[in-house]
Amino acid sequence: MAKIVYVHTGGVGTPERSATPIYLATTAACMDVEVGIYFTVNGPTLLKKGVPETLIVPKYDGKGAPLRRFIDQAMEMGVKFYVCQPSLDLHGLTKDDLIDGVEMIGGAAFNDMALEADQVISF
Amino acid sequence: MAKIVYVHTGGVGTPERSATPIYLATTAACMDVEVGIYFTVNGPTLLKKGVPETLIVPKYDGKGAPLRRFIDQAMEMGVKFYVCQPSLDLHGLTKDDLIDGVEMIGGAAFNDMALEADQVISF
Amino acid sequence: MAKIVYVHTGGVGTPERSATPIYLATTAACMDVEVGIYFTVNGPTLLKKGVPETLIVPKYDGKGAPLRRFIDQAMEMGVKFYVCQPSLDLHGLTKDDLIDGVEMIGGAAFNDMALEADQVISF
């Protein structure tokens, strides 16, 4: 079974970057690929409770969807959500501040996952 | 034959990010590597008709070259240009708005291409 | 021996992006992985003499550490630092402007290194 790890570094300050890696991850999971997304740098801010419901993925016509929709589709397809522990620290967040279904891992576990993957694709 | 897929997420708002993946792709094509660049997130805005001619890749001495020069060199070396269909939608662009020589693909085709590549390198 | 190349595109304008790839590289080197970091786009500005000592990696509580600490840990673990020659030109920098221990390479050498690596992980 093929494996892809997406890395998501963009946070609440760049909403136009928020959905693409999650959308691609969902697409890959539909293709029977084992998929994880690693939220690091500013990425964990997207997973703070309350954010996915209110952060709108911008669209030129003003009819963007909330990020929550992309996250729900990904989780329903079995995409795994991981957050980088030191990145949480940078933002003063703890695991309890995050939405359900997110696993916290450190740098070594991420590197292991990256080496086991067929591709690591960063955003 | 080795294959590299470059991912280009930067758009007209970050001109200092516009040329590097295209330059590296050209270099790889010169090394007999099969190369594609996938423009996603803000990347498709770089390929809007009229943009490459007027967007100057900034240089400290004010003598930067237009992005068009980098694109032409890449296309002459056989680098393939792909745009992400949902990203076009986000910016209100259609394929007709883009310069010639760009192919539109969806997320599944991108993931397939990524899995077939030796490396995926994102910018 | 596994090999990972990290790509670092963020510069002095995005201090919150400065440490993560260096930290992950150090972690990988501790895992007996052969590791290099390729500083390109804005990345080389982080390596200008005087910058690592004064650039503080921001932390929510205002107690961030200087980037130098992350760089020293990486170099002590054997992480190789590479800068992209054309990116130096963009910023008007030369190798002499950079801290010790950094090697300058061109696009072809980077592509070779990327193709030889098990993963290329961009930031």
Side-chain angles (χ1 to χ4, degrees), chain A residues 9-10 40-42 86 89-92 107-108 110-112 114-115 117-120 122, chain C residues 2 4 6 16-17 20 23-24 27-28 31 33 57-60 118-123:
Chain A
T9 71
T40 185
V41 189
N42 297 319
D89 291 347
L90 287 179
H91 295 287
F110 166 70
N111 283 321
D112 267 336
L115 286 171
D118 293 283
Q119 291 295 356
V120 177
S122 297
Chain C
I4 300 179
Y6 294 89
E16 81 282 5
R17 295 187 165 272
T20 302
Y23 160 80
L24 287 173
T27 308
M31 298 161 68
V33 174
V57 181
K59 208 179 160 187
Y60 76 102
D118 293 283
Q119 291 295 356
V120 177
I121 308 176
S122 298
F123 285 89

Side-chain angles (χ1 to χ4, degrees), chain C residues 69-90:
Chain C
R69 191 178 304 172
F70 294 87
I71 291 175
D72 286 345
Q73 288 172 340
M75 288 187 169
E76 278 160 27
M77 284 306 302
V79 172
K80 296 280 175 53
F81 282 59
Y82 302 99
V83 285
C84 166
Q85 186 160 6
S87 296
L88 282 183
D89 292 347
L90 287 179

Side-chain angles (χ1 to χ4, degrees), chain A residues 16 58-60, chain B residues 40-45 86-93:
Chain A
E16 81 281 8
K59 207 179 159 187
Y60 76 102
Chain B
T40 184
V41 188
N42 297 319
T45 63
S87 296
L88 282 183
D89 291 347
L90 287 180
H91 294 288
L93 295 170

